[in-house]
Amino acid sequence: MSNSYAQPIFRTTDLSAGLRVVERLLAIADLRELEIDYEAHVSSARTLTPLFELLPWATWYTEGDGDASSEAGDDPSAHLPIRFRACAEVPETVPVFLEALHDTPATVRWDFEGWPAAPEVGLGTGGSRGAFVTLCVNVRDLDLYEPATDHTVFVHVKQIEAERAPWLAAQVGLQVVGDLVTAPY
């Protein structure tokens, strides 16, 4: 699987405003095969418990010196902080996931079939390899390394279609607010 490239187009302290931007972007996307991926840097049982109640099949691992993981059958609550990940979820899980986070850094990524054609910038329909929207919650970056008190919406595109990101921002009345970056996984 190749990586997409992502560009931030909206930053806010109001999570519901971030979700509204995501909804506007999804309204112009080809949502066939829509799936949601989650990642969080969980450091408290207050967050861990509801996340695993919602997504009991999620995977996790420790970062740094530890080597505990769901694959090894370890107890995640005994190894906090952990990196929590759930993939291919249904959209209905998003509100409950967000409610469980509190101040936990996390990403919610909407993965779908493709972006619409962007004839103004010379691009046809964008395929699934670079068609995502990510909402970074309590964090500024897609890798969960820069905790923040705000939230950022990123659009993902193929590297050779970098001009699609500002075009997408313009379609929802916004403009890019940062550089194009390589997205994880």
Side-chain angles (χ1 to χ4, degrees):
M1 175 195 295
S2 66
N3 290 21
S4 64
Y5 290 79
Q7 195 153 25
I9 66 163
F10 186 70
R11 188 165 288 127
T12 182
T13 57
D14 180 357
L15 184 56
S16 61
L19 283 169
R20 285 191 299 274
V21 169
V22 169
E23 289 170 2
R24 292 188 342 238
L25 288 162
L26 294 176
I28 64 171
D30 178 347
L31 297 183
R32 287 179 293 162
E33 301 182 34
L34 177 64
E35 296 178 343
I36 312 298
D37 297 336
Y38 298 110
E39 190 159 353
H41 188 258
V42 180
S43 59
S44 74
R46 175 183 179 212
T47 300
L48 182 69
T49 301
L51 288 181
F52 274 111
E53 286 173 358
L54 173 65
L55 305 163
W57 47 86
T59 60
W60 65 272
Y61 60 93
T62 54
E63 296 181 296
D65 296 334
D67 61 356
S69 69
S70 54
E71 187 174 295
D74 297 313
D75 175 6
S77 62
H79 298 282
L80 295 171
I82 64 165
R83 185 64 75 111
F84 173 96
R85 184 175 285 163
C87 298
E89 300 301 328
V90 295
E92 294 77 19
T93 58
V94 172
V96 179
F97 179 82
L98 293 173
E99 174 91 13
L101 291 178
H102 308 288
D103 61 352
T104 298
T107 59
V108 180
R109 187 178 88 169
W110 288 260
D111 181 352
F112 43 86
E113 187 63 29
W115 289 119
E120 300 88 341
V121 292
L123 295 173
T125 303
S128 61
R129 231 182 32 157
F132 313 112
V133 174
T134 298
L135 175 60
C136 292
V137 181
N138 305 314
V139 67
R140 283 278 176 102
D141 68 307
L142 297 164
D143 294 307
L144 302 177
Y145 294 133
E146 298 176 48
T149 57
D150 56 17
H151 319 290
T152 304
V153 176
F154 284 81
V155 292
H156 296 248
V157 297
K158 295 176 186 173
Q159 182 181 23
I160 60 172
E161 296 181 352
E163 57 274 6
R164 188 184 302 276
W167 181 86
L168 286 165
Q171 301 313 296
V172 295
L174 299 169
Q175 59 187 9
V176 298
V177 296
D179 296 330
L180 191 70
V181 297
T182 303
Y185 73 96

